[in-house]
Amino acid sequence: MTDSGVEIEVVDDDSRFSNVPLSGGTLSSGQDSRASFSASSIAERRSTVSFERPGSAASSPRKSHKKSASSYTVGSSSRGSVGNLPFLLQRLDLQKSQEETNLSKRISLDGQQRLQEEFSRIQNGHQSCHPETETEKTIDWEFWGKVMGDYRQFASDNPEKLAKAIERGIPKSLRGMMWQLMSASKDTDLEATYSRHLKGTSPHEKAILRDLGRTFPHHDYFTDGQGIGQENLFNVLKAYSLYDPEVGYCQGLPFVVAILLLNMPDEEAFCLLVRLMYSYGLRGHFLPEMPGLQLRMYQFDRLVEELLPVLHVHFLRQGVKSSMFCSQWFLTVFSYRFPLDIVFRIYDNVLASGIESIFGFSVILLQKNEEALLKLKFDDILAFLKNRLFEQYIVANGGSNYNRSLNNPNESYRVNKFVQDALSLKITPFMLDVYAHEYEELVRTREAHMVEMDNLRNTNRHLTAQVKNLETSLAQLNTEQCDMVKELVMQRIKSEEMENELVRYKLLYAEAMHKTEDANARSSHRLSTFSAPR
């Protein structure tokens, strides 16, 4: 997953994590385990938490907050406005368009009826099931009953009222049902598909088993290696790896699935996971090239540049990239190392308003800690982002009005304050669309550059081949020339030798002629001497 250039550190290989394998054989989710899943068990899962947050100390009572180093301040919008309203309306329009184009049929009348029946059952037995956590007075049953009756119509008619209710937080006992209702994930056919995949075998089973003990290892629901929690977690991950072979299994998925399992049975968690992946765009975070995650990272960088310019420049100077810390947030939808009560509230907004809700929660964490981050260097910045992000929202020895910490019973969080601050940021769909278009243009430019570079490489390769051919031809011509020069030299040597022979023969001939002339002269002299009178 590093081919795309995004640095991800999802899971620490910590010795505290238990890697106890499940019992032998393929695990399945039996009817008994599903039948025993009740509203009380959901509340027990959420309330019994021992989530580690290393490096954090109980902070002293909050001092008055100084003005941020950046010019942008939280809460600049009017307190009456609801920050998630534009995204909630956009989500409703998207769901409507998907249904009109036959791209989304994940909720049936039967599934909606089942959710309404479950709501009625919880409403009737709520007082006896949750006397210590939620009372009749804390839940507006009339309001949530209308929402459950026809979510789409109620959201269209009362979007601001619904947005405010989600900002305040969905009641714990209704959270699982509302998540399914808002995402339109209840699908009996998909549940049947899940049951079929439980009987199959996935090539990712070893990797899934290896990571089970690292997923919320201190939570009672998942701490037992042979318990129902790890069994359901294994089943959902294995079934999804068979349902979506292109994604298969990736680190980070167990944390997303675990959050779903803490609020609903495994078959419903599988359906909601499929919905998150395909309808909410989470699948792009886990594909081999991670296109969705890279887009989110670019949008986040642009938001930080726009809303926190001083911190943006400081990060640039220190060499801190968002991929060093934010990729983990987006990949697990904040479920890794974040307090569970905060994670649930983030999921409330994500499922109601879309995956774009993650940006408000990301930016507000940097904005609230901006002054501290501006004083730190590279290593200290990364350590701070890993361990001390929520110090601004911690209340030491908090009372019952605050949410308890996950690892310290004397420490609690201002969860409502955190959500309100995140939703008060002026982040609009238009801004994200502009950043998305910028990113698409960058991708197109980069791809065009890559195509141009490929063309140049091919041309260069072709020219190199031509040069090699010419060099070969030149070498051959040089060889032939050398041979011809050698032959010419030999011919010249032979010619000289022939000339020397010719001169020798001429000399011999001249000598022979001279001897002949001498012989003739002597012969004539003898004859003349002999014939002369005495």
Side-chain angles (χ1 to χ4, degrees):
M1 300 176 73
T2 59
D3 295 340
S4 59
V6 179
E7 304 169 24
I8 300 175
E9 178 194 0
V10 178
V11 186
D12 289 341
D13 196 5
D14 197 318
S15 59
R16 294 171 299 160
F17 295 160
S18 61
N19 288 304
V20 183
L22 300 181
S23 56
T26 303
L27 300 175
S28 61
S29 178
Q31 186 66 27
D32 294 338
S33 64
R34 297 180 188 178
S36 62
F37 192 95
S38 63
S40 59
S41 66
I42 295 178
E44 183 179 356
R45 293 184 198 182
R46 297 197 201 92
S47 59
T48 310
V49 185
S50 57
F51 193 68
E52 191 73 15
R53 200 176 67 85
S56 63
S59 61
S60 57
R62 280 187 68 187
K63 299 178 181 180
S64 58
H65 179 63
K66 299 178 181 179
K67 186 176 180 180
S68 169
S70 295
S71 59
Y72 185 84
T73 57
V74 175
S76 56
S77 59
S78 61
R79 298 300 299 174
S81 61
V82 182
N84 60 344
L85 180 59
F87 291 103
L88 188 148
L89 295 174
Q90 184 185 50
R91 182 67 199 165
L92 289 174
D93 292 339
L94 178 61
Q95 286 184 342
K96 183 178 180 180
S97 63
Q98 287 177 340
E99 290 185 355
E100 289 177 351
T101 56
N102 201 27
L103 295 176
S104 174
K105 291 184 176 180
R106 285 289 175 256
I107 187 166
S108 61
L109 292 177
D110 179 59
Q112 187 173 4
Q113 182 65 29
R114 288 168 58 187
L115 288 175
Q116 292 174 355
E117 292 175 357
E118 179 69 12
F119 174 81
S120 299
R121 186 185 65 80
I122 292 178
Q123 181 181 7
N124 294 333
H126 182 266
Q127 208 166 14
S128 59
C129 291
H130 299 277
E132 74 287 352
T133 58
E134 290 178 328
T135 63
E136 189 74 20
K137 296 181 180 179
T138 61
I139 300 178
D140 188 346
W141 292 103
E142 181 181 358
F143 172 81
W144 292 108
K146 293 178 181 179
V147 175
M148 292 294 301
D150 191 341
Y151 172 77
R152 186 69 51 77
Q153 188 63 41
F154 185 88
S156 300
D157 296 340
N158 307 278
E160 188 167 344
K161 184 182 296 185
L162 179 62
K164 289 181 179 178
I166 294 173
E167 178 182 337
R168 291 191 296 267
I170 299 174
K172 294 180 180 180
S173 57
L174 306 180
R175 179 164 279 135
M177 289 182 295
M178 279 301 302
W179 285 2
Q180 296 178 72
L181 192 66
M182 293 186 297
S183 63
S185 67
K186 191 68 174 178
D187 186 354
T188 53
D189 293 337
L190 198 55
E191 291 179 5
T193 301
Y194 170 70
S195 299
R196 288 196 305 271
H197 285 317
L198 290 182
K199 302 175 183 178
T201 302
S202 170
H204 303 281
E205 289 186 12
K206 289 185 179 179
I208 295 173
L209 286 170
R210 184 175 61 248
D211 292 337
L212 287 181
R214 302 174 180 178
T215 307
F216 297 140
H218 304 292
H219 194 295
D220 288 348
Y221 186 65
F222 297 106
T223 190
D224 186 0
Q226 298 181 356
I228 188 64
Q230 287 199 17
E231 181 179 355
N232 286 341
L233 184 59
F234 175 85
N235 286 338
V236 175
L237 292 170
K238 183 189 80 169
Y240 188 81
S241 70
L242 294 172
Y243 180 84
D244 187 0
E246 187 176 4
V247 169
Y249 170 74
C250 299
Q251 282 189 327
L253 269 178
F255 290 94
V256 177
V257 175
I259 295 299
L260 304 183
L261 287 173
L262 290 174
N263 292 276
M264 62 192 69
D266 55 333
E267 69 275 11
E268 295 178 352
F270 173 79
C271 296
L272 183 50
L273 175 63
V274 172
R275 192 66 169 169
L276 277 171
M277 298 291 271
Y278 283 90
S279 179
Y280 284 78
L282 193 61
R283 187 171 182 264
H285 293 194
F286 296 95
L287 288 171
E289 297 297 326
M290 297 188 294
L293 183 60
Q294 293 193 61
L295 169 61
R296 307 279 181 250
M297 299 295 295
Y298 178 82
Q299 291 173 315
F300 174 75
D301 287 337
R302 291 288 285 113
L303 285 170
V304 174
E305 182 181 2
E306 179 76 19
L307 304 180
L308 305 172
V310 177
L311 185 62
H312 172 72
V313 173
H314 181 65
F315 278 0
L316 289 178
R317 290 176 176 173
Q318 295 299 321
V320 177
K321 299 179 180 179
S322 57
S323 58
M324 297 176 180
F325 61 94
C326 196
S327 58
Q328 185 185 90
W329 300 350
F330 293 169
L331 199 64
T332 64
V333 195
F334 300 96
S335 54
Y336 179 65
R337 285 191 177 275
F338 274 48
L340 277 182
D341 284 330
I342 290 178
V343 175
F344 291 148
R345 296 289 292 276
I346 293 175
Y347 272 69
D348 288 349
N349 286 274
V350 167
L351 289 166
S353 307
I355 196 69
E356 294 80 9
S357 301
I358 61 178
F359 294 115
F361 297 105
S362 305
V363 174
I364 196 61
L365 287 174
L366 297 184
Q367 199 276 340
K368 281 295 183 179
N369 294 284
E370 182 178 14
E371 292 184 6
L373 290 169
L374 289 174
K375 301 175 183 178
L376 303 177
K377 302 298 182 181
F378 177 82
D379 293 333
D380 295 330
I381 290 175
L382 295 183
F384 187 98
L385 292 172
K386 186 176 182 179
N387 300 318
R388 299 174 55 191
L389 275 174
F390 286 96
E391 287 186 353
Q392 294 288 339
Y393 293 101
I394 290 177
V395 180
N397 300 317
S400 59
N401 292 330
Y402 299 102
N403 298 80
R404 291 293 180 184
S405 170
L406 303 175
N407 60 313
N408 189 345
N410 295 322
E411 190 177 81
S412 53
Y413 292 95
R414 296 184 177 91
V415 180
N416 290 332
K417 175 63 175 173
F418 171 67
V419 175
Q420 290 170 4
D421 288 345
L423 297 181
S424 67
L425 289 173
K426 288 185 177 180
I427 300 176
T428 64
F430 176 76
M431 294 172 63
L432 298 181
D433 288 341
V434 170
Y435 300 153
H437 288 309
E438 289 179 3
Y439 177 75
E440 291 171 0
E441 184 62 30
L442 286 176
V443 170
R444 281 194 296 268
T445 303
R446 184 172 58 201
E447 290 177 349
H449 178 69
M450 292 176 63
V451 170
E452 183 180 359
M453 291 297 295
D454 288 339
N455 292 334
L456 291 175
R457 290 190 187 98
N458 292 333
T459 303
N460 185 52
R461 194 179 299 113
H462 179 67
L463 293 175
T464 302
Q466 286 184 340
V467 169
K468 289 183 178 180
N469 291 334
L470 292 174
E471 288 176 347
T472 303
S473 300
L474 180 60
Q476 185 177 357
L477 290 174
N478 288 335
T479 302
E480 293 177 357
Q481 183 184 12
C482 291
D483 293 340
M484 292 180 66
V485 169
K486 289 180 181 179
E487 185 177 355
L488 180 60
V489 170
M490 294 303 295
Q491 291 296 331
R492 286 181 179 178
I493 294 174
K494 288 181 180 180
S495 177
E496 291 178 356
E497 290 177 351
M498 291 179 68
E499 288 179 357
N500 292 335
E501 285 290 325
L502 179 60
V503 170
R504 188 172 66 85
Y505 284 136
K506 286 181 177 180
L507 291 174
L508 290 175
Y509 175 75
E511 184 179 358
M513 290 298 294
H514 182 68
K515 288 180 179 180
T516 301
E517 289 178 354
D518 288 346
N520 290 335
R522 285 195 296 268
S523 177
S524 299
H525 180 70
R526 287 193 191 101
L527 289 175
S528 63
T529 303
F530 180 77
S531 62
R534 294 178 178 264

